[in-house]
Amino acid sequence: ASVLFVLIFGLTRGDWLAALLGGVTLAMSLLPEEFSLILTVFMAMGAWRLSHERVLARRPAAIEALGAATVLCTDKTGTLTWNRMAVTDLAVLQGLSMRTWPAGGGAPQDIPLPEAFHGLLEAAVLASHPEPFDPMERAFHALGQEQLDAAHDHDGWELVHAWGLTPELLAMSHVWQAPGQETPTISAKGAPEAIALLCRLSDEQASVWRRAALELTSSGKRVLAVARVMAPPATGSTWPATPHGLDFRALGLVALADPLRPEVPAAVAECRRAGVRVAMVTGDHPGTALSIATQAGIDTSGGVLTGADIEALDEAALRERALRTSVFARVMPQQKLKLVQALKAGGEVVAMTGDGVNDAPALKAAHIGIAMGRRGTDVAREASSLVLMEDDFGAIVKGLRMGRRILDNVRKGMVFVLAVHVPIAGLALLPLLLGWPPLLTPVHIAFLELVINPVCAIVFEAEGDEDDVMARPPRDPAVPIVSPELVRMGLGQGALVLAALGALYAGLALSGLPTDPLRAVVFTAMVIAVASLVLVNRSFSARPAALLRRPNPALWMALATTGGLLALTLWAQPLRTLFRFGVPPGGSVLIAVATGLVLLPLLAMTTRRP
């Protein structure tokens, strides 16, 4: 377009220098170099702002995806809850009944542990690491030190073998050798259903076992079962690959409380208002999962889907169940990947939390992988898009809010850039096409493009949340950031400004005002119109009068900078000469100011959420 303009202007008027200057001016006015500024700096500043919420953005694309997330899959322990375990109940199996002792609530210091429960607590301690780091195992050791006497002292005992937790058997077993004892002591702890299988309980015992576990989990407690081998093999025997062949006897159940974080219900409610479904994915018992989900305000109308269900369902059935279920229990890491794939196949934009090495495939597959910074592994962090420095569900919701804010501000900046280039290009081109004196030269475009526009763009990056930022549905990922509606709105605003400035220019030219003062007046009106574009695009919903009351220090900095620079170009002789400005009559300056201000309510009527 610029080359064509130079050729046409030069051939028709014969002034090739003016043609070349006009072509350069037109090229500068049409190039929207601010787009790259917005798409890079806004995202970088957004990542910096997220870091203040204790959320590290490892990939800029995750910030954009946050604004479109429709389902947030979060684990329970340490995210929804504190991960601060305390034993609340011990229940021993006695024939076909369970006897319970309240370890929490009624102070254990005042209620000594009955002898019938000593074996259960001792086995729970022996099935834990001797120097525990897991909060659950620390709770076992703490209660054991408090309630067990010297007869249960394990100093000098050696851990000679262990069977770890596996997807096939959700239990772990430790083999201990006591000094001077021929046969070792073997204790196991794990999921109640896994221990029941390991102990080969009768149907009647299994029914009592299940009812007791369900009763304890119904209040949100985490329940583990404990067993001991009654006839262990002699020391030096070759240990089998699994503990299934050993003669385990079920001792009882241990319930632990892990309280819900107080801010979680409000954060879940905020997600619901924002159209984001919160799904809890945990390895705990289904009863525990449902209870905690209810306390957190997570939708439980779809029931609970277990890891075994995920394995049993085909792709179509799993996709259908995953779309209407928000509580997933007894889920192993490899089943998280299937869950993510099912949700994505159902059209959801998925955010998934994880912390273990085996969580990496699910984190990688999710649109937004969120790793736990405190307890997460390096592998999980490398596979994720976001890293939570505080393993807290509230930080995820703050990240969602910030992601929407950043995306809103990017779109506001885009509208502004689209709008501001229309009058600049129009006033650079129209006078030359109509045979009027040239209004803008490269120095004017440089002033607008390199000084005022970037300064004003800072206002949008620093703009706060929209009032409805968490009260509207997520962004449709199929709609581009620069949507057709956004383009139409920006070009419409620019056309309105161009019409007003063109009318001002024509009126003053017809009145006989000389070219240099005319240029100064129209340029002043243009700068004020640019400020009006900044004001109206600060929000897609609030009115300009309300926006002036919203804090944004960058706004006042931009307006003050713009006003100061404009005053220098009008009244400082060297700059006035450079810009080819004449001293405008006082009345014409008032007309320029009025033109820019009248545009404010007119532009406000064109502003809406694109």
Side-chain angles (χ1 to χ4, degrees), residues 111-461:
I111 306 176
L113 181 68
E115 184 62 33
F117 294 87
H118 282 208
L120 170 62
L121 181 56
E122 181 185 22
V125 172
L126 290 174
S128 303
H129 196 278
E131 296 181 0
F133 55 89
D134 181 83
M136 178 182 59
E137 295 188 343
R138 287 205 299 265
F140 291 157
H141 276 266
L143 187 62
Q145 292 172 2
E146 186 177 284
Q147 294 291 350
L148 296 178
D149 53 28
H152 300 279
D153 184 25
H154 306 118
D155 286 345
W157 287 38
E158 181 184 0
L159 181 64
V160 295
H161 190 72
W163 290 278
L165 198 75
T166 65
E168 296 75 27
L169 181 64
L170 298 179
M172 58 187 301
S173 306
H174 283 172
V175 182
W176 292 90
Q177 183 65 57
Q181 187 174 339
E182 182 180 351
T183 58
T185 298
I186 305 177
S187 296
K189 73 177 190 305
E193 61 270 25
I195 295 297
L197 180 66
L198 199 61
C199 297
R200 299 183 288 276
L201 295 180
S202 66
D203 292 343
E204 294 82 1
Q205 286 180 316
S207 178
V208 172
W209 191 258
R210 284 193 299 270
R211 284 199 304 270
L214 188 60
E215 182 179 349
L216 290 171
T217 59
S218 62
S219 58
K221 296 172 183 176
R222 188 173 189 178
V223 176
L224 291 183
V226 180
R228 171 173 283 172
V229 173
M230 303 314 296
T235 304
S237 300
T238 301
W239 301 107
T242 69
H244 280 288
L246 299 177
D247 184 22
F248 277 98
R249 180 171 74 86
L251 298 180
L253 305 172
V254 181
L256 302 101
D258 183 14
L260 192 73
R261 292 177 182 265
E263 68 274 11
V264 166
V268 171
E270 188 174 14
C271 286
R272 183 179 292 113
R273 289 193 300 271
V276 180
R277 177 165 63 99
V278 178
M280 185 174 70
V281 184
T282 179
D284 279 349
H285 189 280
T288 304
L290 281 171
S291 177
I292 293 295
T294 301
Q295 295 176 39
I298 297 172
D299 180 20
T300 58
S301 61
V304 60
L305 194 67
T306 66
D309 297 331
I310 293 175
E311 291 292 342
L313 294 172
D314 60 31
E315 290 185 8
L318 178 58
R319 181 172 65 249
E320 190 272 333
R321 287 289 304 276
L323 292 177
R324 58 184 177 87
T325 303
S326 298
V327 182
F328 303 87
R330 289 288 188 246
V331 175
M332 301 301 291
Q334 63 269 24
Q335 292 156 356
K336 280 187 176 184
L337 176 59
K338 287 189 174 183
L339 181 58
V340 169
Q341 292 170 336
L343 290 169
K344 290 173 66 176
E348 302 278 15
V349 178
V350 185
M352 170 67 80
T353 65
D355 53 18
V357 172
N358 292 335
D359 289 333
L363 293 173
K364 195 76 173 177
H367 296 98
I368 311 164
I370 305 173
M372 303 294 112
R374 284 182 176 269
R375 66 178 190 272
T377 61
D378 289 341
V379 174
R381 287 193 287 268
E382 286 296 322
S384 65
S385 305
L386 302 176
V387 178
L388 299 185
M389 301 308 293
E390 298 291 340
D391 300 349
D392 177 9
F393 180 77
I396 303 176
V397 179
K398 290 177 182 177
L400 286 174
R401 172 184 285 271
M402 183 63 69
R404 290 190 174 194
R405 167 187 167 177
I406 294 166
L407 196 59
D408 277 347
N409 291 346
V410 166
R411 304 184 84 184
K412 293 171 189 175
M414 292 293 192
V415 172
F416 169 75
V417 170
L418 285 168
V420 81
H421 277 274
V422 174
I424 295 175
L427 292 179
L429 182 62
L430 287 178
L432 300 176
L433 293 179
L434 297 176
W436 296 347
L439 182 65
L440 299 179
T441 65
V443 69
H444 301 104
I445 306 299
F447 180 85
L448 291 170
E449 297 282 357
L450 302 180
V451 180
I452 294 180
N453 289 356
V455 168
C456 292
I458 294 172
V459 174
F460 298 113
E461 194 286 321

